[in-house]
Amino acid sequence: MPPHATMQANPPQTLGVVWEGPMDKSHSKLTEDWAEVARRRVAALDADAWLPADSAEAVASSLTDLLRGLHRLDELELGDVEPATTYRPVGE
Amino acid sequence: MADSDELCQSTLSEVAGWLKSKKVSPVELLDAVQGRIERLNPTLNAFITLTLDEAAQEARQAESEIAKGQYRGPLHGVPVSLKDLYATRGVRTTAGSKILADWVPDHDSDAAERLRHAGALLIGKTNMHEFALGSTTINPHYGTTPNPWNSRHVSGGSSGGSAAAVAAGLGHASMGSDTGGSIRQPAAFCGVVGMKPTYGLVSRHGVFPAAWSLDHAGPLVRSVRDAALVLNTVAGHDPRDPASVDRPPVDYTAGLERRLSGMRLGVAPAYVSEDVAPDVQRAFWDAVRVFERLGAKRVDLELRSAEYAAVTTSTISGSEVASTHSRWSDTQLADYGEDSRRSLAIGRCLTAGDYLKAQRARRAISSTVSRELESVDAFVWPTTARPASPIEEGGDGLRTRPNEVLRAPHVLTRLANLMGVPAISMPCGFTSSGLPVGITVAAKAHDDATALRVAQAYQLETEWEKRRPVVQE
């Protein structure tokens, strides 16, 4: 099972923390967790074939931000919201 | 009559009038534009492929038709370009890539068909960020398109060649594409008008995709009225595009001059944050005061859920881009520039769960924001947080902190793609160093006419769109 699949099944336990506010231990841990998940996902790409080392780090850094942001989408309380359908203007 | 440079730098609306009244012929106009391209394109590198011989034939045909009273409309005899991801029959279409460097389509994109039918002269295919996967038009295969206002700065992107060409008078309109600001950001950086219409209004048939559910096709021009004229030509139902909407045609020039008295204009002050350059803030708030002076009633919006728009669009576009490119990314990776490889790598790291979560967030954000926007007729924000960045920094004024949850102008620029609403960027000032600043006017889905009307009222009151860059030869 690839690392990102593990991630989906077992999200880090710190994910319930509210992220806004002062940097504290839980915030640092949270950041560290997503960075690790990002590094694992990039490594699974066989990134050496894709990118120079510094680019792989840049990808992992961007992916860390993205995964952290994706987690924060839970703040929207998605509940039973279904995915938007493509090929229609949203809200139409 | 205007001299050659004035002919080139006039608006589409102006030259259309001269062509119709036969004060200028299409051949004369094309000759002027061709001369200017020969002088300035070596500096600007705005075109990947020029089609001036074919355009000359079209100009002679247009001249003959107009002389016989067979005037087709405002684009008849007008030099126009296409971003090089619009398929053009018999003309190579690279999408700014090495992979498609030799692709010569056997068909036209819908926009190319409609422009030809309207009698426009297709003068060439413009430079762009490789596969539209970035926003600088620093292209590893075809070179960089610098900013016409300052060649040390980027033109923006991904439709940077189109914006630079229009700003510099190398054609009177250009068709671009916009997945997260790729028409509006280069328009803002280059001091021209760029419009992303309502999703589905302009067919993407024959436009190489970036992210299907976010991609829009639209014009870059020198005035709001020009945008309306091009939209009149390229909008319309096309069953070849699954996103295309089937609605009665609209004349987008009708009602353009109506007053703004009583119109409710939304502003989200929290998104004009400390991240926004002081020159941009000043130009934006000055513009808001102009709208108020014109009779618009300012309504402050909070738009809390919109702060999630950037991460949502990044996830959707990353996933869709990875899918689009799966045909090549396993076997021809070395043919992509490093910038594109990074984009593809991020997309390939996302899961189906990530994508669906983003599409669920898209619905939630759109629903919440739509309710808030019911209190306004139109909505304005700075198109970018900063003006065009120096090329040497490889910089990008739109996608600063692209994947974070935050309140900043680029988040609203991307929100327009997420929701599919019309948004038009136009010049609203200049920085102290002489770089253009853009403001965006957005409206509700399928109310493109209101976005155009509000933008037109501003342009009639100000002079920013009349400024032209002096391009060093």
Side-chain angles (χ1 to χ4, degrees):
Chain A
M1 181 180 286
H4 58 266
T6 303
M7 160 60 210
Q8 288 302 111
N10 301 299
Q13 292 304 304
T14 49
L15 294 189
V17 173
V18 175
W19 293 21
E20 293 174 344
M23 288 283 280
D24 56 19
K25 285 183 180 175
S26 59
H27 188 286
S28 301
K29 180 70 168 71
L30 191 62
T31 304
E32 189 180 305
D33 287 342
W34 287 119
E36 178 54 29
V37 173
R39 272 195 294 273
R40 277 189 279 137
R41 290 198 191 185
V42 173
L45 280 180
D46 191 13
D48 290 348
W50 277 72
L51 302 158
D54 59 340
S55 277
E57 287 171 18
V59 167
S61 174
S62 292
L63 187 60
T64 301
D65 287 345
L66 195 55
L67 295 175
R68 188 187 300 133
L70 263 168
H71 171 65
R72 286 197 57 185
L73 296 183
D74 288 341
E75 294 167 11
L76 290 168
E77 298 178 359
L78 295 174
D80 295 329
V81 175
E82 293 192 9
T85 53
T86 56
Y87 304 131
R88 285 286 176 276
V90 174
E92 186 177 63
Chain B
M1 181 40 59
D3 68 22
S4 175
D5 280 340
E6 287 171 330
L7 270 181
C8 294
Q9 294 186 299
S10 299
T11 64
L12 190 161
S13 311
E14 288 168 329
V15 297
W18 296 333
L19 288 163
K20 185 180 182 184
S21 62
K22 301 175 194 166
K23 288 179 180 162
V24 174
S25 81
V27 172
E28 287 172 326
L29 182 59
L30 182 66
D31 281 349
V33 169
Q34 179 166 355
R36 197 168 169 87
I37 288 173
E38 287 167 357
R39 277 197 292 127
L40 301 185
N41 196 51
T43 301
L44 286 176
N45 190 36
F47 291 90
I48 291 177
T49 302
L50 285 164
T51 54
L52 292 165
D53 289 342
E54 295 89 334
Q57 289 179 18
E58 293 162 2
R60 287 192 290 274
Q61 182 182 342
E63 186 165 279
S64 168
E65 289 174 354
I66 293 171
K68 288 188 274 187
Q70 298 166 349
Y71 181 67
R72 299 194 203 181
L75 267 71
H76 201 178
V78 175
V80 170
S81 61
L82 297 161
K83 184 177 181 177
D84 203 23
L85 47 55
Y86 282 80
T88 38
R89 188 183 61 246
V91 177
R92 75 167 178 160
T93 299
T94 70
S97 71
K98 181 178 177 183
I99 287 171
L100 295 177
D102 299 316
W103 182 45
V104 179
D106 60 3
H107 63 282
D108 270 335
S109 51
D110 183 76
E113 276 178 7
R114 289 176 190 263
L115 288 166
R116 287 187 203 280
H117 185 70
L121 316 179
L122 300 185
I123 59 173
K125 310 293 292 293
T126 56
N127 198 6
M128 55 182 286
H129 207 103
E130 182 183 19
F131 280 126
L133 299 182
S135 48
T136 63
T137 312
I138 297 174
N139 186 304
H141 314 296
Y142 302 98
T144 297
T145 298
N147 193 303
W149 294 88
N150 184 331
S151 61
R152 295 193 307 276
H153 290 250
V154 297
S155 54
S158 59
S159 309
S162 293
V166 170
L170 313 184
H172 291 77
S174 188
M175 287 298 292
S177 65
D178 191 317
T179 306
S182 280
I183 288 174
R184 293 159 289 154
Q185 180 252 34
F189 281 3
C190 293
V192 299
V193 172
M195 182 171 191
K196 182 200 80 61
T198 296
Y199 185 71
L201 186 63
V202 177
S203 170
R204 291 106 29 98
H205 169 71
V207 180
F208 190 87
W212 300 286
S213 75
L214 298 165
D215 286 348
H216 298 66
L220 293 102
V221 284
R222 290 198 276 274
S223 76
V224 172
R225 174 169 285 279
D226 291 359
L229 288 173
V230 177
L231 197 57
N232 277 352
T233 300
V234 296
H237 180 56
D238 176 12
R240 298 169 297 184
D241 177 355
S244 181
V245 292
D246 190 1
R247 297 168 74 95
V250 171
D251 177 1
Y252 294 99
T253 61
L256 263 186
E257 318 297 340
R258 283 173 53 202
R259 297 163 63 89
L260 297 189
S261 301
M263 178 166 276
R264 301 162 302 166
L265 187 71
V267 179
Y271 287 79
V272 191
S273 55
E274 66 272 15
D275 284 345
V276 179
D279 281 347
V280 174
Q281 291 195 38
R282 174 185 45 75
F284 173 73
W285 290 116
D286 284 351
V288 170
R289 283 187 281 277
V290 170
F291 283 118
E292 290 181 299
R293 201 165 65 233
L294 289 168
K297 180 179 182 302
R298 172 177 158 180
V299 177
D300 283 359
L301 303 168
E302 195 171 3
L303 299 182
R304 277 193 66 87
S305 66
E307 66 184 359
Y308 301 92
V311 66
T312 302
T313 50
S314 286
T315 304
I316 293 168
S317 64
S319 304
E320 294 185 9
V321 161
S323 179
T324 301
H325 286 269
S326 59
R327 69 188 96 172
W328 298 309
S329 55
D330 285 333
T331 56
Q332 287 181 258
L333 202 55
D335 291 338
Y336 286 93
E338 188 177 327
D339 211 19
S340 297
R341 271 183 273 167
R342 285 189 194 188
S343 297
L344 293 170
I346 291 170
R348 288 179 68 142
C349 286
L350 296 168
T351 66
D354 294 335
Y355 178 72
L356 286 168
K357 184 173 186 180
Q359 288 286 24
R360 295 172 71 205
R362 179 185 201 166
R363 185 183 289 278
I365 294 165
S366 300
S367 172
T368 307
V369 172
S370 292
R371 279 198 298 276
E372 209 167 339
L373 293 182
E374 284 172 10
S375 64
V376 300
D377 300 297
F379 172 32
V380 293
W381 67 87
T383 306
T384 63
R386 286 185 270 285
S389 304
I391 291 170
E392 64 182 19
E393 292 176 11
D396 177 342
L398 173 70
R399 293 189 175 178
T400 309
R401 300 160 70 192
N403 300 328
E404 295 191 23
V405 175
L406 79 169
R407 297 180 190 180
H410 75 275
V411 177
L412 299 178
T413 295
R414 301 177 82 179
L415 176 71
N417 295 76
L418 202 66
M419 296 180 67
V421 298
I424 181 166
S425 178
M426 61 182 167
C428 70
F430 286 79
T431 65
S432 54
S433 59
L435 288 167
V437 175
I439 185 173
T440 291
V441 180
K444 299 180 179 76
H446 299 296
D447 199 7
D448 300 67
T450 291
L452 285 161
R453 175 185 156 203
V454 172
Q456 169 76 348
Y458 178 80
Q459 283 216 322
L460 289 177
E461 189 70 10
T462 58
E463 300 279 318
W464 302 117
E465 90 285 0
K466 294 187 175 133
R467 294 201 191 180
R468 301 285 182 261
V470 178
V471 182
Q472 301 301 317
E473 296 179 38

